[in-house]
Amino acid sequence: MSKRTDNTAATAALVAKKAEIDTMIERLRALSDEHFNWSPDEINWGHVGTLGHYAELLKRITDSAFKEGEHAD
């Protein structure tokens, strides 16, 4: 007879972490929709570098989540 594992606490923790991620994604989407609060007249190569850094960090996350790049099997 197998004993069923109670994963209620783990499920609750996962749901909480998912909510954190959803909030971060929503905030990033809103900031992106506003062109990261930069007006066209003020954009410079520093802004390009900043977005490149953001993209690099997000790529690490998506590569891990989708098992791509260095995380590919």
Side-chain angles (χ1 to χ4, degrees):
M1 181 186 295
S2 66
K3 181 179 178 181
R4 186 165 182 212
T5 304
D6 181 2
N7 65 347
T8 304
T11 299
L14 183 122
V15 168
K17 287 296 175 191
K18 182 190 175 308
E20 279 184 55
I21 290 170
D22 290 345
T23 298
M24 287 186 267
I25 290 170
E26 289 171 23
R27 292 182 68 208
L28 281 171
R29 169 58 59 203
L31 189 61
S32 178
D33 288 348
E34 294 298 322
H35 299 93
F36 293 86
N37 293 326
W38 299 319
S39 70
D41 295 337
E42 71 179 345
I43 292 175
N44 60 51
W45 287 107
H47 296 111
V48 175
T50 297
L51 286 186
H53 179 68
Y54 295 168
E56 181 183 317
L57 294 172
L58 288 169
K59 180 153 179 35
R60 289 174 56 193
I61 293 167
T62 57
D63 280 356
S64 178
F66 295 107
K67 296 182 178 19
E68 297 171 342
E70 68 181 55
H71 299 278
D73 292 335

